[in-house]
Amino acid sequence: MDTGNGRERWSSRWGFILVATGAAAGLGNIWKFPYIVGENGGGAFMAVYLLAIAFVALPIFGAELLLGRLGNRNVVDSIRRVARASGHDGRWSILAWIGLLAVFVVLSLYSVVGGWTLAYLAMTFADGFVSAAAADTESTARRFTAVTGNPGSAIAWQTAFIVLTAIVVASGVQRGIERLCRWLMPLLLMLLLLLAVHGAVATDEFGRTLRFLFEPQFERLTPGGALAAVGHAFFTMSVGVGAMLTFGSYLPADVGLGRAGVTVAVLDTAVAILAGLAIFPILFASGLEPGVGPGMVFVTLPIAFDGMPYGRMVALSFFALLAVAALTSAPSMLEPMVDFVRERAACGRKAATAAVVAAVWSLGVAQALSFSSWSELGLLGQNLFELSDALASNILLPLGGILIALFVGWMLPSSHTSGELGIRSPWVHRLWRLALRFIAPLAVAAVMLNGLLR
Ligand code: PHE
C-alpha cells in the first residue's frame, strides 16, 4: 500500500469520529442553526434539513473521505492522482483549489466570530455582563458592539483564536488535532446535555420547544427557507471544501468509510438538535421570539440569562460551549492548507502552519475591522465580512460540493468505489451514486443560484 509522503494517521476509528464530529459540530450548529430554524418557522425547516443531511451532505461527505483515502496526499495532489489513475484529466484538481480558497476565507471569518465567543466567555467569567443592570435589547446590543465594534478588542480576540488554532495544528494530526478533540468533545457533550436538561426541567417551555422544532408546519416554509436548509446541511457537515478529504486521508486503512460517515452525520445532527433544545426554552421562558437573526446568541440570549435563576452559570456554560465548538472546528479548516504547503514546499509542519496562519490572520484582521474602522469599505452596500461570507457560502462551498459530487459520481467507476467505502449492500451503494450523480448536484446548484440571484 502507498503509505503517502510520511503522512500521519488518526489513532483509530473513534479517533477519527471524534475529530470529524468536532470539525462538523461548530458555530454552524450552535450559533447559526438555532437562528435559521427560528427564522424559517421551525419543524418544516427541520424536516428539509434532515433530508438534506441524508441525501446531499452525507453522500458528499462519503465522496470526500473516499477521495482522501484513494489519493493519500494533500487535497490538490489527491484529486490529481485519483483523476489520472482512473484515466481522467488531472485538471479536476481545480476543485481542490476552490476548496483551499474556501477554507482560507471561511477560517478568516470563523476566527472573527470565534474571537467573539472567547470574549463573551471571558466577560461572563469576569461577571462583567450578567450583572449589567436590567439587561434589555439595547444594553446587550451595546455590549455586543463593545466587543465587535472596537478595533483593538476585535483584533485581539480574533488573534487569540487563530493562535490557539495554530498551536493545535502545528502540534500534529494525532498530538494536536486528535488530542484537542479527546479533551474538548466530552466537554462539549457534557455542556450540551447540561443545557438541554436545564431547558427541560428548569423552564416550562420544553413542550413548546419540541412542538416548535418537530411539528412540520409546511405553510410556514418558503422556497428560500427550504434552500437555506440545504445550504446549512452542507455547511454543518463541513463538505465541499476538502476538509473531510484531508481528514479522510489520515484514516487508518481498516476503517470503513461508509459507517464512519453515517456516525458523524448522526452526531452532528444530534448536536444541532440538542443546541435547539437548550436555547429555545430559555428564549421562550423570557418571552423572547425565536426569529431574531444572527444576533440571537450574542444579543437576545443574554437578556434571558440576566433575568433567570442561575443565569450566570447557564451563561457561562453556554459561552463555553460555543467557544469549544468553534475551537474544535477551526483546525479542520487550517489543516488542508497546512498539509498542502507542507507537502508542496517540503517543509516542516510548524513552518507551514506559521506561513498559512500569517495569511489567514491578515485577512481576519480586515474582516474584524468590518465592524468598526473599515465598515465603509466594501461593495454594493456590503462590508468585507458580508462579501466574504457571501463568496464562501454562495459560490465557493456549493461549487466545490457540486464538483466533488460530479467527479466521484460520474468519473470513478463503481467497482472503484464500492470496496473502499465498505458499504455491503449494493442497493445502498447504488443510492449513494444516484445521490452524487443527480440529487446532490441539483440541490446544491439550486442553493447556489438562489444565493446569487438574491
Ligand atoms: N461545520 C462547521 C460548523 O458547523 C463549519 C465548517 C465548514 C468547518 C467547513 C470546516 C469546513 O460550524
Side-chain angles (χ1 to χ4, degrees):
M1 185 200 163
D2 169 19
T3 52
N5 299 343
R7 297 174 70 73
E8 289 185 63
R9 293 282 180 261
W10 308 117
S11 66
S12 61
R13 176 181 134 82
W14 273 101
F16 168 76
I17 287 176
L18 273 184
V19 293
T21 306
L27 292 172
N29 302 56
I30 295 166
W31 172 51
K32 196 164 180 196
F33 178 73
Y35 85 76
I36 50 176
V37 181
E39 281 178 337
N40 291 290
F45 179 91
M46 184 73 133
V48 180
Y49 171 76
L50 294 177
L51 285 174
I53 291 275
F55 294 104
V56 179
L58 178 58
I60 303 182
F61 191 93
E64 284 203 34
L65 295 187
L66 181 74
L67 289 173
R69 168 161 293 169
L70 295 174
N72 203 16
R73 293 282 187 284
N74 64 74
V75 264
V76 178
D77 293 320
S78 283
I79 308 260
R80 177 168 305 143
R81 293 182 70 195
V82 175
R84 292 214 176 120
S86 48
H88 298 290
D89 196 322
R91 277 176 297 184
W92 273 100
S93 59
I94 180 88
L95 75 86
W97 286 102
I98 297 173
L100 286 176
L101 185 60
V103 277
F104 181 64
V105 174
V106 176
L107 183 55
S108 74
L109 297 165
Y110 220 81
S111 62
V112 174
V113 182
W116 300 347
T117 69
L118 295 180
Y120 266 73
L121 183 58
M123 273 190 321
T124 315
F125 199 71
D127 195 25
F129 129 81
V130 175
S131 60
D136 52 32
T137 316
E138 221 173 278
S139 69
T140 59
R142 227 181 298 123
R143 188 146 290 272
F144 184 57
T145 318
V147 173
T148 60
N150 172 331
S153 107
I155 293 176
W157 288 111
Q158 179 256 349
T159 306
F161 186 86
I162 198 79
V163 167
L164 284 174
T165 308
I167 293 173
V168 172
V169 169
S171 307
V173 168
Q174 263 197 39
R175 288 193 43 222
I177 306 177
E178 190 175 325
R179 186 148 56 150
L180 173 89
C181 291
R182 278 187 193 277
W183 283 98
L184 290 190
M185 290 310 285
L187 179 65
L188 180 130
L189 194 69
M190 213 180 67
L191 290 169
L192 204 52
L193 287 175
L194 195 80
L195 286 165
V197 169
H198 166 269
V201 298
T203 71
D204 296 329
E205 303 291 346
F206 204 61
R208 179 165 165 211
T209 300
L210 289 178
R211 256 176 284 124
F212 177 72
L213 284 177
F214 297 109
E215 210 168 54
Q217 294 176 308
F218 281 99
E219 66 282 1
R220 293 175 69 180
L221 187 70
T222 60
L227 289 176
V230 179
H232 186 66
F234 207 74
F235 181 78
T236 187
M237 287 287 287
S238 305
V239 290
V241 297
M244 288 304 164
L245 192 157
T246 305
F247 275 19
S249 77
Y250 300 144
L251 260 169
D254 57 344
V255 177
L257 305 182
R259 255 192 31 196
V262 172
T263 310
V264 175
V266 169
L267 290 174
D268 178 63
T269 307
V271 170
I273 292 176
L274 283 171
L277 296 181
I279 291 175
F280 289 116
I282 299 178
L283 281 184
F284 290 152
S286 304
L288 298 161
E289 281 308 312
V292 288
M296 179 142 127
V297 304
F298 293 110
V299 179
T300 315
L301 262 188
I303 306 174
F305 291 147
D306 188 53
M308 61 195 259
Y310 308 108
R312 186 169 172 214
M313 280 315 292
V314 178
L316 208 52
S317 313
F318 180 76
F319 288 116
L321 172 68
L322 207 55
V324 165
L327 281 171
T328 55
S329 290
S332 70
M333 293 174 237
L334 185 53
E335 180 61 28
M337 296 185 275
V338 167
D339 183 37
F340 174 71
V341 170
R342 187 186 68 77
E343 274 187 358
R344 281 292 180 94
C347 64
R349 167 170 284 274
K350 293 200 170 63
T353 307
V356 173
V357 162
V360 174
W361 177 79
S362 313
L363 182 60
V365 166
Q367 311 282 15
L369 292 178
S370 299
F371 298 88
S372 52
S373 332
W374 292 2
S375 60
E376 300 295 312
L377 194 78
L379 259 180
L380 311 167
Q382 294 203 306
N383 64 31
L384 185 68
F385 188 95
E386 291 159 339
L387 286 172
S388 311
D389 184 24
L391 172 71
S393 333
N394 299 340
I395 302 179
L396 299 175
L397 259 75
L399 197 58
I402 293 172
L403 289 174
I404 289 171
L406 293 177
F407 178 59
V408 175
W410 292 96
M411 298 292 140
L412 299 192
S414 82
S415 57
H416 224 87
T417 55
S418 67
E420 285 297 346
L421 272 181
I423 300 181
R424 256 176 245 117
S425 145
W427 187 83
V428 175
H429 185 243
R430 233 173 280 142
L431 185 65
W432 175 68
R433 287 183 68 91
L434 186 78
L436 288 181
R437 288 183 160 200
F438 302 103
I439 307 174
L442 288 174
V444 179
V447 173
M448 189 169 160
L449 277 180
N450 182 55
L452 289 177
L453 299 179
R454 227 175 351 179

